[in-house]
Amino acid sequence: MSERVFQEEESNEEDMETQGIEVRIPLLEEQEEMVPDRITFVLVLSAFFAVCGSYVFGNAVSYSSPAESGIMDELGLSLAEYSVFGSILTIGGLLGALCSGKIADLIGRRGAMWVTDVSGIIGWCAIFLSESAWSLDLGRLLLGFGVGLASYVVPVYVAEVTPKNLRGGFVSLCMLVIACGMSMTYIIGSVLNWRILACLGTIPCLLQLVGLFLVPESPRWLAKIGREKDMKAALQRLRGKNADISKETSEIEGYIETFQQVSEHRIFYIFQRKYAKALTVGLGLMVFQQLGGLNAYGMYMSSILERAGASSTAGSITTAIVKLAANVLAVFLMDKFGRRPLLLVSASGACLAGFLIGLSFLLQDYHQSTDVVSTLTFIGIVVFTGFFSLGLGGIPWIIMAEVSEKSGALNFPNKRKGIGREPREYGQLVRFLACGLHIQLFL
């Protein structure tokens, strides 16, 4: 009976969409008015400890660039062996992304983040204590698993604990903190030994591991598993001791009750004709984001600069500053100019910068001036990083979240049985697949 009701509602929704009629979900529309917009200390603390996982993401991705020469010299690794170390992160990321949704639904958002912390700590310790290639690769693989899991669960947790009218700003912190993690790793790695850098990588993992004990679990996940009393207590902590949470509690309960009637959708549910355009745009942007070369430049920046005759230390520090500034600027420009114009500017600038880098090495093959080659490479990498961070770095993630909304006609984190979760999981899988493919092509 419930299946037939759902199918009828779905067909009615399609008819209304084709007629140009806006589909309205009263529960969600009313949420903007009923959810308090007060930013409490517990809310800020929850977001802070959650985005520590985003910092680990940026730290892990960029670690192989400043550590390259130190690891290869001390352990005597060949270029092929170090290339495996750099790219095996994507294999771990694939595994983490593949099971991220199930883990987050099974043991909760905090539980999933604890898994990423344990995986990260073991991974960094394995790298720190490494005396051979296999232990390096094992540590990097574990780091990748944690990164793949964190890339899903961190923004989901932040979105679920934050009021809807503040959600966009808080979720955008995830990309900003990833940029901070990458930038700080470039800067610190230019002056510290690779073992010390790996040891420092455990700090945000430990900070999140301990800090999550101090913050509440996601109220929506608690409601999903039937812990109504705990859900209300968690929501009260997040909104403030004297805040009226009755309306938001009713909205969450009604929302969960609505989806109790919906059976678990098969994994290919989102591959329907009505979602084709949105899904193509979302997944396509994730592919172009990775094939654009960010991770190849990020993981092997020092090597690229040194081969061009430029200073790897100066290049890493300059790139880190530009990357951080571009990400901060993107947060303000996105709301003012919109996603599409920013994406076009970002892609155009990154394309031009990539052309400059390719041209510099072409000139090097023809034995042109070393100063010209090093200058073009330096400028190319800095400009590429700035333009990429301005749009292509963060906007595809936002669009994937919107695709998730489209796939269920509701907000992606709020499903009773994970409905609408699949686009984000597919996005992570596509992202790490494309990342791994590009790195192998680069090598």
Side-chain angles (χ1 to χ4, degrees), residues 288-304:
F288 289 129
Q289 181 194 57
Q290 296 309 309
L291 294 182
L294 177 67
N295 286 287
Y297 290 132
M299 291 180 180
Y300 302 102
M301 183 189 301
S302 296
S303 177
I304 295 171

Side-chain angles (χ1 to χ4, degrees), residues 282-336:
L283 295 182
L285 282 173
M286 297 299 279
V287 170
F288 289 129
Q289 181 194 57
Q290 296 309 309
L291 294 182
L294 177 67
N295 286 287
Y297 290 132
M299 291 180 180
Y300 302 102
M301 183 189 301
S302 296
S303 177
I304 295 171
L305 289 169
E306 286 172 3
R307 291 181 186 181
S311 169
S312 60
T313 302
S316 297
I317 293 175
T318 305
T319 300
I321 296 171
V322 169
K323 183 178 183 62
L324 191 57
N327 274 275
V328 173
L329 185 63
V331 173
F332 298 99
L333 294 181
M334 200 179 302
D335 290 334
K336 186 172 183 179

Side-chain angles (χ1 to χ4, degrees), residues 77-108:
L77 267 61
S78 66
L79 180 60
E81 288 175 320
Y82 191 80
S83 299
V84 171
F85 169 73
S87 59
I88 203 171
L89 181 81
T90 61
I91 298 176
L94 277 171
L95 297 174
L98 187 63
C99 56
S100 58
K102 292 296 183 183
I103 292 176
D105 283 347
L106 183 64
I107 62 176

Side-chain angles (χ1 to χ4, degrees), residues 66 143 147 157 190 208 238 260 295 330 367 397 408:
L143 272 179
V147 162
Y157 175 80
S190 65
Q208 187 180 61
L238 289 164
Q260 283 177 341
N295 286 287
H367 307 289
W397 297 86

Side-chain angles (χ1 to χ4, degrees), residues 145-158:
F145 178 83
V147 162
L149 182 54
S151 63
Y152 171 82
V153 72
V154 169
V156 167
Y157 175 80
V158 173

Side-chain angles (χ1 to χ4, degrees), residues 139-379:
R140 187 77 166 165
L141 185 68
L142 289 171
L143 272 179
F145 178 83
V147 162
L149 182 54
S151 63
Y152 171 82
V153 72
V154 169
V156 167
Y157 175 80
V158 173
E160 288 183 341
V161 301
T162 310
K164 186 177 180 181
N165 52 340
L166 300 174
R167 188 173 297 160
F170 272 80
V171 172
S172 65
L173 284 175
C174 296
M175 286 309 300
L176 188 59
V177 174
I178 289 175
C180 288
M182 295 181 73
S183 299
M184 291 303 296
T185 302
Y186 289 141
I187 294 172
I188 297 173
S190 65
V191 295
L192 292 181
N193 178 272
W194 64 274
R195 291 189 188 274
I196 298 176
L197 190 61
C199 188
L200 292 176
T202 62
I203 294 176
C205 297
L206 289 169
L207 184 62
Q208 187 180 61
L209 186 69
V210 175
L212 288 174
F213 285 101
L214 307 177
V215 298
E217 178 57 271
S218 161
R220 293 193 179 271
W221 181 77
L222 292 171
K224 282 171 60 177
I225 61 172
R227 293 167 57 180
E228 184 178 342
K229 185 176 180 181
D230 291 336
M231 180 270 287
K232 291 180 179 178
L235 195 60
Q236 191 70 68
R237 285 187 65 193
L238 289 164
R239 302 296 178 257
K241 185 177 179 180
N242 300 319
D244 182 10
I245 62 168
S246 58
K247 290 183 178 180
E248 190 174 1
T249 301
S250 300
E251 184 272 328
I252 293 174
E253 291 173 345
Y255 196 58
I256 298 302
E257 185 179 348
T258 300
F259 280 93
Q260 283 177 341
Q261 304 172 29
V262 183
S263 60
E264 182 74 52
H265 284 70
R266 61 188 182 274
I267 193 168
F268 295 109
Y269 166 73
I270 60 170
F271 292 102
Q272 299 183 45
R273 188 173 181 178
K274 63 178 179 177
Y275 303 140
K277 184 177 180 181
L279 198 61
T280 301
V281 170
L283 295 182
L285 282 173
M286 297 299 279
V287 170
F288 289 129
Q289 181 194 57
Q290 296 309 309
L291 294 182
L294 177 67
N295 286 287
Y297 290 132
M299 291 180 180
Y300 302 102
M301 183 189 301
S302 296
S303 177
I304 295 171
L305 289 169
E306 286 172 3
R307 291 181 186 181
S311 169
S312 60
T313 302
S316 297
I317 293 175
T318 305
T319 300
I321 296 171
V322 169
K323 183 178 183 62
L324 191 57
N327 274 275
V328 173
L329 185 63
V331 173
F332 298 99
L333 294 181
M334 200 179 302
D335 290 334
K336 186 172 183 179
F337 296 105
R339 294 161 179 70
R340 189 165 179 263
L342 211 56
L343 271 175
L344 291 172
V345 171
S346 175
S348 300
C351 181
L352 176 62
F355 174 78
L356 284 178
I357 297 170
L359 178 63
S360 67
F361 282 98
L362 180 64
L363 292 174
Q364 188 180 57
D365 290 340
Y366 284 97
H367 307 289
Q368 297 298 314
S369 170
T370 304
D371 292 337
V372 173
V373 172
S374 61
T375 301
L376 282 178
T377 304
F378 186 93
I379 293 173

